[in-house]
Amino acid sequence: MRRRTFLMFSAATAAGAMWDVAVEHGAPGKELVRFIPETKLIPGVTVWRPSVCAQCAAGCGLSVRVVEGDAEVVRKGQSGLIKVGLAKKLEGNPGHPVNRGKLCARGQAGLQVTYNPDRLSHPLRRTGPRGSGQYAEVGWEEALGELHARLGPLASPSATSSLAFLTPPLRGQRRALIENFLSGFDGSALVSFEFFDDRVLREANRLSFGRAQLPTFDLAQSNVVLSFGADFLGTWNSPVAQSLSYGTMRQGRSGVRGKFVQVEPRISQTGASSDEWIPARPGTEGELALGIAHVLMSEHLRPAAAAGSAGRWIAGWSDGLPEYRPEAVAWKTSVAPETIRGLARQLATHSPAVAIVGGAPLAQTNGLFTALAVNALNALLGSVGKPGGLQFTPQLGSIGPAAPAKSKSNAANLSGNIQTLAQQIRTGKPKPVGALLIYQANPVFAAPPDWQVKEALVKVPFIASFGSFTDETSSLADLILPDHSYLESWVDDLPESGAAEAVLSLAPPALEPLHHTRATPDVLLDLAHRLGGPVAKALPWKTYEAMLQDAYTPLRHLPGSVSAASDDEFWSKVKDQGGWWSAGPVPETKPTAARGRSQPVKNQEPEFDGPAQDFPFHFLPFPSQQFGDGRHANLPWLQEMPDLLSTAMWGSWVEIHPGTAQRLGIAEGDLVEVSSPHGVLRAPAVLSPGIAPDVVAMPVGQGHERYGRYASGRGANPMAILGTKTEPETGALAWAATRVSVRRIGKGELCLFSVGPLEWGAKQLKR
Amino acid sequence: MTTRERQRLEAAPQDRDRLTRDLLRPVLHTSPRIYLTMMALGAFVLAGLVAFVYQAYWGMGVSGLNRPVFWGFYITNFVFWIGISHAGTLISAILRLANARWRRPVTRCAEAITVFALVIGASFPIIHLGRPWLFFWLIPYPSERGIWPNFRSPLLWDFCAITTYLTGSLAFLLLPIIPDWATLRDRAIGWRKKLYRVLALGWRGTPREWHRLEMAMRIMAVVIIPVAVSVHTIVSWDFAMVPVPMWHSTVFGPYFVAGAIFSGIAALIIAMALLRKILHLEEYLKPIHFDHLGKLLLVMSLLWVYFIVAERLTVWYGNATPEVAVLLATQRGKFLPLFWTMVCCNFLIPFPILAIKRLRTITGTVIASSTIVVGMWLERFLIVVPSLEFKYLPFSWGNYRPSWVEITITLATFAAMPLLYLLFVKFVPIISMWELKGGEHPEPAAAAELAPGHEASDPWEGTLPSAGS
Amino acid sequence: MSRRWGMVIDLDRCTGCEACVVACSAENNIATAGESQAAKGRAIHWIRVERSWEGEFPNVRVRFRPVPCQQCDAAPCEPVCPTYASYHNAEGLNAQVYNRCIGTRYCANACPYTGRFFNWFQPSWDKPLQLQLNPDVSIREAGVMEKCTFCYQRALVAESQAEAEKRPLRDGEVSPACVQSCPSGAMVFGDLNDPASAVSRLAGLDRGVKLLEEVGTFPKITYLARES
Amino acid sequence: MNAIYGLFPDTDSARRAVKALGEVSRRLRFQPRQIVVVSQEPLDDREMGLPRQHTWMPWIAACGGIVGGTAGYALAAFTQRTYPLPTGGMPVVALWPASVVTYEFTMLGAILTTIVAFLATARLPRYGQRVYDAAVSDGMILVGVADSDVNAWRDLEETLYEQGAERVRQFSTA
């Protein structure tokens, strides 16, 4: 009775909701036809379908709850209602080795990517001036025809200008497809761009451990975790996998509770969970790591040789790091010598212990040194490749269609970064860029202003974008050919970290496409076919599905999660499982040798952009818990998800130490102006006890000029005032190396979830 | 027939006529200024209605309420107006039972305040509902929902208590009007005559009728006092029943009742002063009335201080963290200005005015009453809002600022009160004519030994217009 | 014996990632309020993560705890409702019947945890965001209270599944969206009447405390205190 | 129905008239209860020499209170038992909350009964023609005899004038 009543209530309400939709459209002159359903789903019955999360690079497996429902669609120019499978919720794929059924906030909000009201539903052609955002709808044939016409001349061997393809770092067959596509264009460049790109750490790991790869941490068995700036429970690397093992580290083992110490100048979401917070001076994290290593060696807790080859990149390692006595390190890092000694002893005596480095410490001019120092410390602690330490997820290197042998001409291909692309566009060398294809990356939003990315991009004669949204970069496009959302697409990914086994995340579309969009891989295959010649030869597949099948079916012969008698059975099982993961050793990409370097890395003092007397504060942009690097700012659930520490919603803010704020006459919520040598921004102030007095911090992600109704014109973009200092060895942007000044402007507006006091403990009130 | 008797015989009809004439004048004649006043007040009430419809259409979001301050101006007004309603019936009933003769010109004035304040007050729980059109779900009746209301809810108690109190107060007000309506029936002409003929129920004034009426009023007076006490106690229980810091208090019942009587008397004094001025009843509402009510007000002001001290000292001394947070927020925190204004309005200003005999004049008591009305509204606000803003978990503390909708509706009710009152005095003599005339007669026992000089020794001398004055 | 759903939240595991917050919004059709309404304190989050800063620089520590409705056994919100919209159901949950609610907001004041939310306006979704709405959960109209239900609809689905398979419900088979999503496994859900269930076992740990125990609400959520 | 009555300007003369009428009642063959007194303000029965009024109203009101209270408790208990929804860990029929409802209904019962009893025993409302004179509302006191022998009217008129009646009028329904 109870249940029936309940179901009746919900059914009635759901029907009511549908009825509202119907009535709204049932208005005279707006009659909606009902199309014949394209999918067979039992009404009211949930189907869980696998998919792969594309919200960040972790490559978590998804379980999509699909229920039949009415969607308003356009078919052959006629709008109407159709019964389709609708995604109702995203959960983690319980069998997936990276996230094991769990999913973070950003991953779950991915549902609002597919159903975003600002998603582009048709191909668009620019009608106004570039960047004006004025577009007219065009048909797919017309759009593809235009793209073909524009790219055709570039594909000919005699082309005088080249093609560039701008993407975020891609993996799996998507990357292979684009590489193969570009192989047919002489002098073409695959430019990958991501703001928080971990390039420095990959290089350090390549040097220290022979793996240019992000590490996987076995926190579940660690007794002490020492993290240098890594937001590993929030946004960095594979946060869900790391949170899973973190939970076990804390309370998942009987009698053992792992300890966690975080070193960073501002308490991050991850730092908030730490037992001890050490606000070392920005840029001195490497020194601190070596100070600890010094104590380990000088107190004979570990022999220098234990570090193996990882130690040889640090000058003075084999001598016991005489320059890094705790007193000396303390002076630079402002961490007390006793703290350093205490940390060293804890790490040594409570093994397994592991050190993690990531995020801001590596975004300094001495980032590579810092990474190598922490790597050496890990090696010294004996935590590399051991339970409770760090390891590397095996990579399925030999899988997939090999890129065609590089021709002579495309040996000059740039697999570059956004600076080299901008340089090439400006100078026209080695070849002018004749056309630019943009797939998801948004450097106009996320690159420092002095790189002049926008100024460069507008000079490209032809830009096409495959994005689902118009953002700051894709709004420069002449032609937009919107992609399916990832729930509507074939998705594949090869997670770089987060699991002990080799992992392929792969899934067929979980949903019918809602809009008049096409999957970009299929568009590229189609285009390759139209272009003919070497492009067509490099991409012989009709569909992306066929390409994926060809690439991944050989996994059947490896020990893994799927046993099948035939390729077809294997394929269908992989599709059902949402991927494949190894159950034994797999042939890996050959570890890249530490080539190109034989000398230790010198410890340079960190350099900062802006003189300290004019710009007294370190400026720390941090990936926000809601928006990561800003790509999720158009999702209303995340906009309204309160920030853990500030509880701010729907905006951005500047975090300042209360003492500093008092000195500057700034109160909570005041509008402050943050100036660097490169720009000025305004945002309301949040007074946070968890930040060093000489640091001001700001979340990355807001301040979009053009990114749909939920993100546009909201908050400020910290990238807009960043300097262009780089880590010299890798060329990575030192995004934490800018200095700023702060002053009060007036009263500001903060949208806070909690306006209560900072502390809820029963503080005795003065009566 | 003695000379004295003859003199009286000659003088009396004129005198009586004048009394009736004076008291009926406001009913039978309306000046343009009154019409203008009514229209102005009506405009405010209309604005309030528009604001309410606006709110009902768009949702409670147009108010300034939020989480955690789910109650604000509306509930403040509810408590305030229910408090004001204690002016009349309770005071009138007590004075009736105590047979205080000076009450006679005051009672109807006071009882009318009760009825109108109750109606206004009782409308606020409906105004503040998220779905006001479903207010009748509070009423126990066999409904299609197959469920009756929850009698464990203090809101249901409120409903029962207010219904009872309104019924009783209406009876208390209307029963003694019947003879006056009979008089009006005889005096009025046209449609009014027909109306009053119906309203007078065929009243003649036989000994039987008079006896039953007086008996009914005596029973009502006995019943209405505990009802009035219970009503504001139950209003206080709306707060005291739930575990909210500074709400969950045993002192709330008497504290609210005392506050209600306090604000009620203040409202009565203001109403009387206004009637006196506007309807030219100077000869009937005399300084002595204000003096007596002023003394009552003085007692209530002291009682109010007593309760404030009883409440606050206990909390302060007990030092339970959530309660002290609320206590300090009101005394020293963001509510400091309101809190100390309230203390000034309810005690520091009125106390000397009311305590010093020379200042206890009509003007003095009206000034004191005006500050008390403001102070008591603030007191209600300071009971409702700070506790919600500073409820247990500091993370969920909040802020409240009323919106224009709430302010408009609040103002509208402050306009509705005089409007209803004006309309009332246009239909009913605001001073009970028969009771006032009855007061002219000496008590039967005294009549037998009626002696010269007796009237001068009457402590209530001067409460009635003397002949020829 | 009937079931008595309860939850354990291990504050030592919780990382404050707020996956639970979004999971709850997705599962329960919680409309976003938008900036201006959210700034007025009208954002709806059936579960929230409370944060507390403790200490002075540099010895600063942060504590946080996820707070959904505590599903009290002696819930102050229930008896104050004049229309029985808020009552105790057979499985021990503080049920809120939206259709009965007339919006006195009394329950919200009575709740010491501020765990109840009011629909200040008619909820709406920009098209086609309405397609994400969970058909198992009613949409609450303007003027009614709403709150955490322990995702009762998910329990019903699991129960009917078990019934169809003619087997008893397994421990851990039912989990609200927040528990399901929690990456660090900080939240555990189950039947408190089953002494063998994980939730019963954990609720009995020495670290277990109830929120605002002194108010006498007898919550069904046990918090396991952080050990440092 | 008919009557003859005098209008008296004050209580004294009215009292004398009542007394005089009582004295002549046997002679003029009417019962003392046929004497009609109508006044604009309450008169003291004893003083006027009228029979003492008596009423059961207080007892009726008390009974009304008891009935109301019982009904109130029954309503609360019945409702809660018919829809046995547990709330806040309280018993389904909880004594303390029910006592509040019982109390209010007791009072409501007493109030309603009093109103009804008043109307019933004062025989109101009644709109038909009865012995009355609009001069009463000018403060005159009406004293007369209803339904007496018409032949005695002259004597009665005289008696009334003798006692100080300003006017004596006759009244009869057509």
Side-chain angles (χ1 to χ4, degrees), chain B residues 146 186-187 198 230 437 441, chain D residues 40-41 83 104 127 132 138:
Chain B
D186 297 341
R187 295 287 177 101
V198 174
S230 80
K437 285 181 196 162
H441 297 280
Chain D
Q40 202 201 1
E41 60 213 56
Y83 311 101
E104 291 302 334
Y127 292 109
Y132 186 68
D138 296 333

Side-chain angles (χ1 to χ4, degrees), chain D residues 85-121:
Chain D
L85 298 175
T87 59
M90 294 178 182
V92 166
V93 180
L95 198 60
W96 282 106
S99 70
V100 178
V101 179
T102 309
Y103 172 83
E104 291 302 334
F105 272 81
T106 306
M107 293 309 188
L108 185 61
I111 289 168
L112 292 175
T113 330
T114 306
I115 297 169
V116 172
F118 160 70
L119 293 174
T121 61

Side-chain angles (χ1 to χ4, degrees), chain B residues 7 57 63 65 90 131 142 162 172-174 184 251 260 276 278 297 303 336 348 371 401 437 445 452:
Chain B
Q7 277 170 348
Y57 184 81
S63 72
L65 297 169
L90 189 60
R131 302 200 286 176
I162 290 174
F172 207 60
L173 172 70
L174 294 179
L184 274 163
V251 84
R276 189 171 184 271
I278 297 169
L297 202 56
L303 205 52
L336 176 142
L348 296 182
T371 65
R401 177 170 287 190
K437 285 181 196 162

